[in-house]
């Protein structure tokens, strides 16, 4: 049995979430996210392409899907909204740990590390704003 890393586990979890969100919302963003997640799993053996997808697209997808799931939970369980918001604030940072550990950790050049850090910060900062569109 092969050992699965955290990023691959999160890819599978987000793939299931993407299918559920496409079925629930019929949103073009959800469909594009589903396609990118499938592409990421298909090109996993190509390390460079997988790392590129992991750095550019996966943080955005993970954060946006997490936000959509939290909003769906609030719609379903409005009485639990305070607990859901606490989970939301903690989860917003935790959700990108696998990407940071696996993909960003493999970057060797300092300039690319800096660019990846800036991209990650922007993704976390504007993720909730993008969802309002």
């Amino acid at each position: 049995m092969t050992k699965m890393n955290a990023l691959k586990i999160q890819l599978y979890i987000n793939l299931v979430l993407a299918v559920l969100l496409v079925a629930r919302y019929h949103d073009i963003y959800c469909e594009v996210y589903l396609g990118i997640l499938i592409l990421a799993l298909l090109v996993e053996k190509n390390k460079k392409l997988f790392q590129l997808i992991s750095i550019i697209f996966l943080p955005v997808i993970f954060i946006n899907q997490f936000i959509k799931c939290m909003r769906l939970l609030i719609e379903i369980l409005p009485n639990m909204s305070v607990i859901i918001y606490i989970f939301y604030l903690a989860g917003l940072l935790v959700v990108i740990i696998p990407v940071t550990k696996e993909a960003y950790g493999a970057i060797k050049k300092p300039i690319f590390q800096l660019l990846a850090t800036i991209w990650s910060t922007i993704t976390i900062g504007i993720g909730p704003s993008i969802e309002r569109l």
Side-chain angles (χ1 to χ4, degrees):
M1 182 175 214
T2 61
K3 181 182 140 191
M4 290 182 71
N5 60 20
L7 182 58
K8 192 170 182 181
I9 292 169
Q10 189 171 6
L11 273 173
Y12 285 120
I13 290 170
N14 278 78
L15 188 63
V16 171
L17 286 176
V19 170
L20 293 174
L21 290 172
V22 164
R24 169 75 178 175
Y25 292 114
H26 305 290
D27 187 7
I28 188 72
Y29 289 115
C30 296
E31 293 169 3
V32 170
Y33 294 163
L34 178 63
I36 292 172
L37 290 170
I38 291 171
L39 178 67
L41 287 173
L42 292 175
V43 300
E44 183 184 5
K45 300 295 181 196
N46 185 342
K47 296 292 183 192
K48 295 287 184 185
L49 185 57
F50 182 72
Q51 186 179 14
L52 183 68
I53 290 172
S54 296
I55 290 171
I56 294 174
F57 296 111
L58 292 186
V60 175
I61 293 171
F62 290 168
I63 288 174
N64 286 339
Q65 282 187 338
F66 180 73
I67 291 168
K68 280 190 181 283
C69 287
M70 291 297 105
R71 287 193 178 151
L72 184 60
L73 278 175
I74 289 173
E75 286 176 19
I76 294 171
L77 305 167
N79 296 336
M80 304 282 294
S81 62
V82 173
I83 295 170
I84 294 170
Y85 277 118
I86 291 170
F87 182 68
Y88 167 77
L89 292 174
L92 195 58
L93 296 175
V94 173
V95 78
I96 64 162
I97 287 176
V99 174
T100 306
K101 182 180 172 266
E102 302 293 329
Y104 288 29
I107 300 172
K108 301 293 183 220
K109 296 190 180 201
I111 187 71
F112 293 128
Q113 289 174 343
L114 177 66
L115 291 173
T117 303
I118 291 169
W119 177 246
S120 177
T121 305
I122 289 170
T123 302
I124 292 170
I126 67 169
S129 300
I130 290 175
E131 274 306 305
R132 291 187 196 127
L133 298 176

